[in-house]
Amino acid sequence: MTTPSALEIPVGVPFSRRLAARLVLVPAVLLSLLPPRRIRAVLEVVRRGARPATAARARAARDAVCAVSLRCAGPRGCLPRSLGAALLCRLSGTWPTWCTGVSVVPPFTAHAWIEAEGRPVGEPMPDDYFARLLAVGPATVTGGRRPPPGGDGPGR
């Protein structure tokens, strides 16, 4: 027996944002085929020079990606959705924190999402439902030193 479900496709996304979302989906899907360490390496280069994304900007990017791709709007599209949203934010000069992790309660599942202003963007679960295993946040320069390689590290 199956349970019927419906995808929530965002409406009201401007045409220009939909077009930009379609453009970033190709590299997002290609990136999703790479191993995690390569994805992280690519994202660390792409994020350079970007300022932190606001929650509103990150939500708009996520909505645009979901509006143009049924795969990304679906429950198994978290990796290309999160990559696409991060890349779409980058087109506007901002960068959210891109995260991957696992659920903290059984059944243990892997997930990828974006965060802005310290909170997951557009996720229906509570903020602490997933534990970060890998994160690539906005690059910051503190005292002339860059953060260590490996993203922003594990933990919340």
Side-chain angles (χ1 to χ4, degrees), residues 28 36 45 50 69 75 91 112 125 146:
V45 170
S69 170
L91 286 180
M125 285 72 74
R146 293 211 174 258

Side-chain angles (χ1 to χ4, degrees), residues 11-22:
V11 295
V13 178
F15 175 76
S16 60
R17 192 166 298 136
R18 284 176 181 261
L19 183 60
R22 286 190 189 278

Side-chain angles (χ1 to χ4, degrees), residues 42-108:
V42 170
L43 294 182
E44 286 175 346
V45 170
V46 171
R47 74 177 177 177
R48 289 182 187 160
R51 62 189 184 283
T54 63
R57 170 73 66 185
R59 181 61 191 240
R62 186 184 188 280
D63 286 349
V65 169
C66 290
V68 299
S69 170
L70 287 176
R71 177 182 181 189
C72 289
R76 295 178 188 247
C78 65
L79 185 55
R81 174 177 58 236
S82 64
L83 290 167
L87 293 174
L88 189 55
C89 282
R90 185 61 185 100
L91 286 180
S92 66
T94 63
W95 187 260
T97 300
W98 176 82
C99 307
T100 60
V102 294
S103 60
V104 295
V105 295
F108 297 104

Side-chain angles (χ1 to χ4, degrees), residues 102-126:
V102 294
S103 60
V104 295
V105 295
F108 297 104
T109 57
H111 189 54
W113 67 96
I114 58 170
E115 292 181 359
E117 299 173 3
R119 301 199 59 210
V121 175
E123 298 297 327
M125 285 72 74

Side-chain angles (χ1 to χ4, degrees), residues 135-150:
V136 180
T140 58
V141 178
T142 308
R145 299 181 67 198
R146 293 211 174 258

